[in-house]
Amino acid sequence: MNQEKELIENGVVVISGDAIEAVGGPELLERYQANEVIDGQGGILMPGMVNTHTHAAMVVFRSLGDDLPDRLKRYILPLEKKLVDQNLVALGSKYAIAEMLASGVTTFADMYYFEDEVAKAAKEMGIRAVLGETVVDFPSPDSKEAYGGLAYAEQFIEKWHEDDLITPAIAPHAPYTNDSMHLKKAAALSEKYDVPMIMHVAEMDDEVQKYKTEYNMTPVQYLDSLGVLNDRFIAAHLIYVSMEDLDILEKRQIGIAHNIGANAKAGKGVPPLKEMVKRKMKVGLGSDGPMSGNTLDIITQMSLVAKIHKLFNRDRTLFPAMDILEMATIGGARALNLDKLIGSIEPSKKADLVILETSSVNMQPIYDYYATIVYAANASNVDTVIVNGKVLLRNKCFTKFDFSKTREELMVLSKEIKTMIS
Ligand SMILES: [Zn+2]
């Protein structure tokens, strides 16, 4: 995923500390003395994948009311009100991070409540993350007051903004759950600390209707009129956007989290990805929260992105596998403004790497590595995961993290939730 999209057979990557020192062929084995040599055993070494949009802790509610039209009001909002506290967010985040790491995600972007708990979980488990504290115009699990997220976010940003793994951010939930004054305040905070601003944009059809009726604008035009769109802004979804909206978004150089799996499952619509890519916008892939997207890995998303957009455009040549892999790695890094650090296997970049094994039945034969990864691989083919130079997954097992304990705790909580809703 470097500029030349180089592919090296029998490649060797040298890691020193948290960074990549050299990339090349077997001759590097002679040139360097290593404390540890990991033999890829014929696997595929690739850049770690980037999940550009999720709500990790919501994994505790996964598979609840999936196919119901009123699930937001019937399940999500009441359960969040009743149950979401620091402990739930800490537990859910750990569980979700385990799922992401085990599936080759080395960086994720999150927006939820008690984001400090997500940061602590991410830091403890060693994954890289962009974490946005949610701001909404009603009392939320971590604030008795409307817009309490703003004050929480400022403290949160102060605490984490120099961390090497965590990029703190501010995340107004959506244009329609924040008034214009508070959106500007959030943008001012993003500017003051030079941190990302994450938001759901143009995701709902009634959202489009609201801005049409109230301002005769699209949601994108409305946000631009407030002056909040810039290269720190990360927009999730962007389903209902016109070509004029894309002109604005391209000019403002915003990052895009494309969540096709969640969008398709909700029957919402297909974002104009072909046009976004043609304009070379910063597009990455996202799973969305586990109540919307159910799985947190990006391998599933790659396959969906390819197939849905080929089908939508009735063109099998569109979005070749190499371009899809680009979105899953360096594209996601660009969307999060982390592309100087991660997203490709190049000297001086951080060592965020994944090895897919090729011995499983679904992985052979291989005539084209990109097609194998995008169309044949699944999350369980991920064998080894390295983040910031540290091996976190080896032979499909966590090296440091006690998953069975977290799983036990999640089972106890889900039993409680089952009694509550029955
Ligand atoms: Zn979302």
Side-chain angles (χ1 to χ4, degrees):
M1 284 300 141
N2 63 2
Q3 202 68 42
E4 293 76 34
K5 295 286 188 300
E6 221 174 327
L7 195 144
I8 306 172
E9 298 276 355
N10 300 313
V12 173
V13 173
V14 181
I15 299 171
S16 173
D18 61 3
I20 295 167
E21 168 123 356
V23 181
E27 72 282 355
L28 288 182
L29 286 175
E30 310 287 310
R31 218 181 305 152
Y32 286 88
Q33 278 296 322
N35 295 332
E36 189 190 359
V37 178
I38 300 171
D39 181 353
Q41 315 243 0
I44 303 169
L45 180 75
M46 58 177 276
M49 284 166 274
V50 180
N51 185 346
T52 57
H53 182 68
T54 190
H55 314 280
M58 289 180 86
V59 76
V60 304
F61 303 126
R62 170 158 65 192
S63 88
L64 247 182
D66 265 320
D67 305 318
L68 300 175
D70 59 345
R71 62 174 209 136
L72 184 74
K73 287 191 179 122
R74 185 154 148 199
Y75 288 121
I76 305 183
L77 294 177
L79 280 172
E80 281 193 331
K81 206 167 164 187
K82 211 171 187 174
L83 280 172
V84 173
D85 60 11
Q86 273 164 293
N87 294 334
L88 180 143
V89 173
L91 171 61
S93 299
K94 273 187 203 168
Y95 193 92
I97 290 168
E99 182 175 341
M100 287 192 268
L101 280 177
S103 64
V105 171
T106 52
T107 297
F108 74 106
D110 189 78
M111 56 193 281
Y112 206 53
Y113 306 106
F114 296 109
E115 209 59 33
D116 190 48
E117 300 304 319
V118 191
K120 285 190 275 188
K123 186 78 184 167
E124 186 188 320
M125 294 172 72
I127 196 169
R128 199 179 299 284
V130 177
L131 307 175
E133 168 67 15
T134 297
V135 183
V136 283
D137 63 356
F138 49 85
S140 62
D142 58 2
S143 163
K144 287 194 184 86
E145 314 276 321
Y147 298 111
L150 276 173
Y152 186 114
E154 182 150 20
Q155 271 195 336
F156 173 65
I157 293 166
E158 292 241 350
K159 179 173 170 188
W160 291 97
H161 83 288
E162 277 175 11
D163 195 85
D164 60 341
L165 281 177
I166 310 296
T167 304
I170 181 140
H173 167 264
Y176 56 88
T177 48
N178 283 260
D179 64 23
S180 56
M181 184 179 84
H182 288 90
L183 285 176
K184 284 185 191 165
K185 280 190 178 175
L189 212 58
S190 154
E191 187 177 354
K192 179 177 169 191
Y193 292 95
D194 192 20
V195 294
M197 173 149 145
I198 309 173
M199 200 192 291
H200 297 111
V201 180
E203 181 190 7
M204 310 287 189
D205 44 8
D206 52 357
E207 173 186 349
V208 175
Q209 202 48 52
K210 175 185 155 79
Y211 293 97
K212 174 107 183 107
T213 314
E214 287 177 25
Y215 301 93
N216 196 27
M217 287 186 200
T218 64
V220 168
Q221 287 172 330
Y222 165 74
L223 289 173
D224 198 43
S225 76
L226 302 180
V228 303
L229 299 178
N230 53 50
D231 63 357
R232 288 184 306 275
F233 193 97
I234 302 162
H237 302 302
L238 294 177
I239 300 172
Y240 303 104
V241 285
S242 64
M243 289 306 122
E244 291 73 31
D245 288 339
L246 289 183
D247 290 341
I248 295 172
L249 296 169
E250 185 185 358
K251 198 162 101 196
R252 303 294 179 217
Q253 294 180 292
I254 65 132
I256 300 169
H258 180 62
N259 306 278
I260 198 67
N263 296 160
K265 182 176 157 234
K268 278 180 182 147
V270 180
L273 185 68
K274 186 180 153 190
E275 193 61 34
M276 291 166 175
V277 169
K278 202 169 117 197
R279 290 163 184 255
K280 297 197 165 33
M281 294 172 80
K282 304 185 292 183
V283 184
L285 307 183
S287 62
D288 207 352
M291 280 193 90
S292 310
N294 300 61
T295 52
L296 290 158
D297 70 277
I298 288 301
I299 299 180
T300 302
Q301 296 304 319
M302 283 198 278
S303 173
L304 286 170
V305 171
K307 288 166 192 164
I308 292 178
H309 288 284
K310 282 171 192 288
L311 177 63
F312 185 68
N313 292 283
R314 301 271 172 109
D315 183 352
R316 82 174 293 138
T317 66
L318 267 185
F319 298 109
M322 188 198 274
D323 295 9
I324 300 281
L325 192 70
E326 178 172 352
M327 279 185 243
T329 54
I330 186 76
R334 283 185 203 117
L336 304 180
N337 283 331
L338 292 175
D339 51 311
K340 285 201 177 73
L341 281 186
I342 58 162
S344 59
I345 308 179
E346 294 180 85
S348 89
K349 281 213 173 173
K350 298 296 177 193
D352 289 11
L353 304 164
V354 167
I355 300 174
L356 298 180
E357 47 83 5
T358 53
S359 51
S360 286
V361 65
N362 63 308
M363 292 296 278
Q364 292 293 342
I366 301 175
Y367 301 108
D368 179 313
Y369 290 104
Y370 299 99
T372 299
I373 297 171
V374 173
Y375 301 123
N378 61 57
S380 68
N381 297 126
V382 172
D383 180 85
T384 301
V385 175
I386 300 170
V387 183
N388 223 26
K390 292 200 170 72
V391 181
L392 303 182
L393 193 85
R394 192 195 295 268
N395 300 327
K396 307 192 180 185
C397 293
F398 294 106
T399 55
K400 297 189 198 92
F401 175 65
D402 183 359
F403 177 64
S404 57
K405 183 169 165 272
T406 299
R407 188 177 180 279
E408 272 309 300
E409 287 171 15
L410 185 91
M411 296 317 287
V412 172
L413 176 66
S414 66
K415 251 186 210 149
E416 244 175 73
I417 296 175
K418 262 181 215 164
T419 347
M420 258 180 194
I421 55 168
S422 59

